[in-house]
């Protein structure tokens, strides 16, 4: 330690491999929150999310689907707005998330981004998304694109989430659903099965290790109040 004069030795810790390998395992079903990015009556991002929720339930997960109707634009209302409170409570409840957005003008929709913008990086020093798992998906009106899932990955990193490697992009989504609003069998559907299976596995593997995986030297030096002030600075 004599070669590390700038280190706060009281806050320094060697990663504990035994603690990572032998956590106290939870027995409740994995809790997954699903967000979609459209308000259309027949929104394909919602239909894909509903298919994902059915798959997650079949894999033993407990799911919640947030309806973005009535959610105000960020900063247009106080955080006490009922829809904001509903979203934040679901974010805290969840151990993993699924984000599915249409691609509009080469990017995720404002509706998708608004939901994520209402989830704070910290609530009283506690990060509601840090260390939680994330799966990203998108639907396209035309040919297959990956712009939106790439953007969602950036947001997931910013929210300090563990974004799983697999992802789904559904081209010409209007052709993939029948009149019953159920997705037709296809390799695109199979990919969604793959993504949900991977999400459940990663969630079960990491949910009881989340605190250890995200425990940081720099934040151990700060109080909870200082962390909250730093991460919740109002932007320009």
């Amino acid at each position: 330690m004599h070669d590390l004069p700038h280190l706060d030795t009281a806050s320094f810790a060697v990663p504990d491999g035994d603690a990572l390998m032998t956590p106290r395992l939870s027995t409740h079903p994995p809790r997954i929150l699903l967000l979609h990015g459209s308000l259309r009556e027949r929104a394909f991002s919602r239909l894909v999310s509903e298919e994902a929720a059915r798959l997650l339930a079949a894999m033993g997960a407990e799911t919640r689907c947030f309806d973005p109707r009535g959610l105000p634009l960020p900063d247009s209302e106080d955080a006490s707005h009922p829809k904001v409170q509903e979203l934040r409570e679901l974010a805290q409840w969840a151990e993993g998330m699924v984000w599915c957005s249409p691609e509009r003008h080469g990017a995720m929709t404002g509706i998708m981004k608004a939901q994520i913008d209402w989830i704070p990086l910290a609530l009283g020093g506690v990060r509601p998304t840090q260390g939680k798992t994330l799966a990203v998906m998108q639907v396209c009106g035309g040919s297959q694109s990956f712009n939106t899932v790439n953007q969602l990955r950036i947001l997931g990193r910013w929210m300090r989430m563990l974004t799983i490697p697999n992802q789904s992009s559904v081209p010409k989504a209007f052709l993939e659903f029948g009149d019953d609003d159920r997705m037709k069998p296809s390799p695109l559907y199979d990919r969604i099965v793959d993504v949900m299976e991977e999400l459940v596995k990663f969630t079960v593997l990491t949910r009881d290790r989340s605190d250890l995986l995200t425990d940081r030297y720099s934040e151990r030096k700060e109080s909870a109040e200082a962390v909250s002030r730093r991460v919740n600075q109002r932007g320009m």
Side-chain angles (χ1 to χ4, degrees):
M1 301 292 285
H2 64 279
D3 288 333
L4 301 168
H6 304 306
L7 194 68
D8 180 353
T9 55
S11 302
F12 180 75
V14 176
D16 187 344
D18 290 338
L20 284 168
M21 296 303 295
T22 57
R24 180 175 296 177
L25 298 178
S26 299
T27 58
H28 63 270
R31 299 192 295 257
I32 307 296
L33 171 63
L34 297 96
L35 306 181
H36 65 274
S38 175
L39 302 181
R40 290 181 177 178
E41 183 175 351
R42 193 172 189 240
F44 292 105
S45 61
R46 175 177 59 80
L47 297 183
V48 167
S49 293
E50 289 174 354
E51 292 288 350
R54 294 184 189 102
L55 290 165
L56 289 166
M59 295 173 190
E62 182 180 359
T63 64
R64 297 284 187 273
C65 296
F66 178 72
D67 183 357
R69 293 180 185 274
L71 182 71
L73 289 172
D75 299 329
S76 68
E77 296 280 353
D78 188 78
S80 61
H81 188 282
K83 288 296 289 187
V84 176
Q85 287 299 302
E86 178 189 355
L87 175 60
R88 291 185 172 188
E89 288 170 8
L90 286 171
Q92 290 183 289
W93 166 85
E95 296 169 329
M97 295 190 194
V98 177
W99 295 349
C100 182
S101 176
E103 183 161 315
R104 184 170 297 166
H105 299 311
M108 79 181 77
T109 62
I111 295 158
M112 187 77 238
K113 184 63 161 58
Q115 293 173 81
I116 300 167
D117 284 347
W118 270 120
I119 301 173
L121 284 173
L123 284 170
V126 177
R127 300 182 189 271
T129 56
Q130 176 171 271
K132 297 181 179 182
T133 54
L134 171 65
V136 296
M137 304 192 293
Q138 72 172 83
V139 295
C140 310
S143 59
Q144 192 174 44
S145 171
F146 299 95
N147 291 332
T148 294
V149 287
N150 288 337
Q151 292 172 337
L152 292 173
R153 284 185 177 278
I154 293 171
L155 280 178
R157 186 209 62 77
W158 189 259
M159 301 300 285
R160 300 194 174 190
M161 303 183 77
L162 302 173
T163 307
I164 66 171
N166 216 338
Q167 62 187 25
S168 169
S169 175
V170 181
K172 298 182 180 178
F174 60 92
L175 296 177
E176 298 301 323
F177 286 84
D179 294 337
D180 59 354
D181 287 343
R182 295 301 303 273
M183 196 169 183
K184 300 173 184 177
S186 72
L188 296 169
Y189 177 80
D190 293 346
R191 172 56 69 90
I192 294 174
V193 179
D194 290 346
V195 174
M196 294 306 107
E197 183 179 43
E198 191 171 289
L199 177 64
V200 170
K201 291 176 181 177
F202 271 79
T203 304
V204 171
L205 279 171
T206 61
R207 65 179 178 176
D208 297 306
R209 298 170 171 86
S210 178
D211 289 344
L212 281 170
L213 290 171
T214 57
D215 183 34
R216 294 179 178 86
Y217 163 78
S218 59
E219 292 180 358
R220 289 194 296 271
K221 292 177 63 178
E222 293 182 296
S223 66
E225 181 181 358
V227 172
S228 183
R229 283 199 307 269
R230 176 169 55 79
V231 303
N232 284 321
Q233 296 180 66
R234 293 191 62 84
M236 295 180 62

